[in-house]
Amino acid sequence: MCGSEEQTCCHPACNAKRKQCDLSEVFRVSIVAKIRRLRCQAVLALFLIIQGAVVAQNPSFSETLDGREGRELLLKNFRPRMQLKVAEHLRTKAAFPVVDVHTHFFYKLRSSQQALDDYVAVMDRNRIAVCVSLDGSLNGRLEEHANFLWSKYKDRFVIFANVDWRGDGMEDKPASWACHRAGFAERTAKELAAAVESGVSGLKLFKRFGLEYRNPDGSLIDVDDARFDPIWQACGELGIPVIIHTADPAAFFEPIDETNERWEELSRHPDWSFHGEDFPSRDELLEARNRVIGRHPKTKFIGAHVANHSEDLSVVSGWLEKYPNLYIETASRISELGRQPFTARKFLIQHSERILFGTDGPWPEARLNINWRFFETEDESFAYSEKVPPPQGMWQIYGLNLPDSVLKQLYFENACQLIPGVKTRLMKYRQVESEESKP
């Protein structure tokens, strides 16, 4: 290079060799990052394997650590029976029609027609009028998923598309991915326009965007990478919202040790941990997401899982005040909201025009019933999940007893205003519901 202290040969053979070396370095960086992450996961996995091996070699070991007669207690054996005797107001259906804006019917049902029929029956019993399936990938699965949901139940489902970041590239070679080719964002914007024309109602971004997808040099793609601005701009122009899952619960970014309040969960899923130098901090990820929201004021964004900051609702409140194009939904976060019922109730009432209902389902019907109980009653200290042990923290929740006006906004009114295709479907559902209720 002219003017540099170290001269570089311009011979084609040298250039080819240098390019080969550069690619090797990129591959090395990517592999090293993966090894570091696997090493962290392996430490916890090894501990759990050793612990399991001890139990396997001595079957009575687990049974003897039962907390009885002065013995120690294994966390996995902890099954407390609540001694409180308080009023219970169980719910078997929602008080009003519901739009569930966060579901995954491809990933959870895997195109099973029987499973879909069964869940639509669950929807009927629970007054879920419409579900938003977030699994319409632009990699060719969108049409297949639409046929699965819409062949029989088009009036009950809307679909969000997903960006196809990899395209025809190889999974372990980010340099080959479609998202790193010139014009990718513009092509994706055109694909979205065609998808909207076919009936798609929005775009979903998964947490892998920011935590897994990589650049050719092995570094993680930034959530606010300006190369992809044309996609977010196109969503605003098309009138469709973007539901964005950025980062994860705060505990997932902390060491997996005795102070981590989600230790039990992370011990079962060590790959859910994003603690360490191989990942951006949680704050860095959320700040990058907010910069995208700020750069595109004409595009509506839905912060998945209470904008992934349900541990501190004062921060989320500040975001909602700063970004008028930001909305939030409640999927898989009643466990967090329910342990701060006074704060959560005040928050949801204050921002009632910006909240949406979501579950991250389809879930068993018992989980849905818990949701209705949580939002509609003032019941005390009850389980947030049908699973034992509870999957997202070892605690109970308290009902919010939201006013009817806020429940309507949460359950369906805001979704009708924000998501194309929902209002028409809801009106059809209410008409059918009204006719069926006639004597």
Side-chain angles (χ1 to χ4, degrees):
M1 185 185 304
C2 181
S4 65
E5 294 183 4
E6 183 178 348
Q7 297 297 317
T8 304
C9 177
C10 295
H11 191 279
C14 293
N15 284 336
K17 185 175 182 180
R18 185 166 60 253
K19 183 176 181 181
Q20 184 178 12
C21 291
D22 289 344
L23 290 174
S24 297
E25 175 63 13
V26 168
F27 181 74
R28 185 191 70 78
V29 170
S30 178
I31 290 298
V32 168
K34 289 183 178 181
I35 289 175
R36 285 177 176 172
R37 183 182 184 187
L38 289 172
R39 186 172 59 196
C40 293
Q41 294 173 3
V43 172
L44 177 60
L46 181 60
F47 168 76
L48 296 173
I49 290 171
I50 292 173
Q51 186 183 49
V54 171
V55 174
Q57 291 175 6
N58 184 1
S60 64
F61 181 78
S62 177
E63 296 176 4
T64 57
L65 294 183
D66 57 9
R68 300 177 182 179
E69 300 178 1
R71 292 186 289 269
E72 294 289 340
L73 174 69
L74 286 178
L75 181 59
K76 71 173 187 176
N77 292 336
F78 186 52
R79 298 291 187 274
R81 295 177 182 173
M82 187 174 73
Q83 299 300 314
L84 284 178
K85 304 299 181 184
V86 292
E88 293 184 340
H89 303 86
L90 305 182
R91 293 288 191 267
T92 58
K93 62 181 179 180
F96 304 101
V98 172
V99 178
D100 186 344
V101 306
H102 192 141
T103 60
H104 296 285
F105 279 84
F106 172 79
Y107 291 108
K108 296 196 174 185
L109 299 191
R110 294 295 177 178
S111 302
S112 167
Q113 185 61 52
Q114 184 60 57
L116 180 61
D117 292 342
D118 291 345
Y119 196 76
V120 170
V122 171
M123 291 168 62
D124 290 342
R125 290 195 294 271
N126 283 267
R127 300 191 75 187
I128 300 177
V130 182
C131 281
V132 179
S133 181
L134 305 177
D135 300 343
S137 177
L138 294 173
N139 65 2
R141 193 176 67 220
L142 175 59
E143 183 176 355
E144 174 190 347
H145 193 51
N147 288 336
F148 171 59
L149 294 177
W150 288 349
S151 292
K152 195 172 179 180
Y153 301 111
K154 189 167 186 177
D155 289 340
R156 305 298 295 276
F157 294 94
V158 298
I159 299 172
F160 277 30
N162 317 134
V163 175
D164 180 17
W165 302 98
R166 191 174 78 184
D168 59 1
M170 292 177 282
E171 184 174 2
D172 60 345
K173 294 185 178 180
S176 68
W177 287 22
C179 63
H180 300 308
R181 301 171 193 166
F184 169 77
E186 290 74 15
R187 288 191 297 274
T188 299
K190 290 181 181 179
E191 291 175 357
L192 279 172
V196 170
E197 187 68 24
S198 71
V200 163
S201 297
L203 178 69
K204 166 65 189 297
L205 295 176
F206 293 90
K207 67 181 177 184
R208 291 190 293 271
F209 181 55
L211 282 170
E212 183 176 328
Y213 299 149
R214 296 187 178 274
N215 291 306
D217 65 1
S219 62
L220 288 167
I221 295 176
D222 292 329
V223 173
D224 61 343
D225 192 320
R227 290 178 297 171
F228 309 121
D229 278 350
I231 300 175
W232 326 137
Q233 180 179 338
C235 290
E237 294 170 351
L238 292 167
I240 59 173
V242 178
I243 182 168
I244 180 168
H245 179 161
T246 304
D248 250 347
F252 290 11
F253 291 81
E254 297 294 327
I256 305 177
D257 60 20
E258 75 282 2
T259 68
N260 194 310
E261 66 176 355
R262 306 277 282 267
W263 186 94
E264 190 279 331
E265 178 183 9
L266 290 167
S267 73
R268 290 182 285 109
H269 303 284
D271 55 315
W272 291 1
S273 173
F274 299 106
H275 172 69
E277 61 182 15
D278 294 332
F279 302 99
S281 71
R282 187 164 176 264
D283 286 344
E284 288 172 333
L285 289 165
L286 296 174
E287 288 168 3
R289 177 203 62 194
N290 291 350
R291 286 193 289 272
V292 172
I293 296 171
R295 285 206 304 257
H296 299 278
K298 295 183 179 180
T299 301
K300 307 293 186 183
F301 291 87
I302 303 171
H305 311 296
V306 193
N308 252 328
H309 211 297
S310 51
E311 300 89 345
D312 189 343
L313 295 178
S314 66
V315 171
V316 183
S317 184
W319 292 341
L320 290 171
E321 292 171 3
K322 183 176 182 180
Y323 305 109
N325 57 326
L326 173 63
Y327 297 74
I328 61 166
E329 56 89 14
T330 62
S332 289
R333 292 299 181 269
I334 67 170
S335 58
E336 292 289 351
L337 297 174
R339 61 172 174 161
Q340 49 180 327
F342 306 124
T343 299
R345 187 176 193 274
K346 180 180 178 180
F347 170 83
L348 293 175
I349 291 174
Q350 179 183 355
H351 300 289
S352 62
E353 295 181 354
R354 310 276 286 283
I355 57 176
L356 303 161
F357 175 84
T359 64
D360 215 2
W363 293 117
E365 190 165 8
R367 182 87 58 97
L368 297 174
N369 294 165
I370 293 170
N371 271 267
W372 319 139
R373 184 183 183 188
F374 169 64
F375 288 113
E376 298 176 19
T377 80
E378 57 182 8
D379 282 3
E380 300 173 279
S381 194
F382 58 94
Y384 61 81
S385 170
E386 77 289 350
K387 290 185 177 181
V388 178
Q392 295 178 309
M394 307 288 281
W395 52 74
Q396 304 280 80
I397 63 171
Y398 295 76
L400 301 186
N401 191 26
L402 293 175
D404 284 354
S405 60
V406 176
L407 283 174
K408 291 177 182 178
Q409 290 174 301
L410 170 70
Y411 282 169
F412 67 89
E413 288 180 351
N414 294 338
C416 284
Q417 295 180 12
L418 184 63
I419 303 173
V422 166
K423 185 176 182 179
T424 301
R425 288 170 168 83
L426 181 75
M427 290 175 64
K428 289 182 179 179
Y429 172 85
R430 301 196 78 165
Q431 182 177 0
V432 171
E433 186 180 49
S434 175
E435 292 174 355
E436 291 179 347
S437 65
K438 292 180 180 179

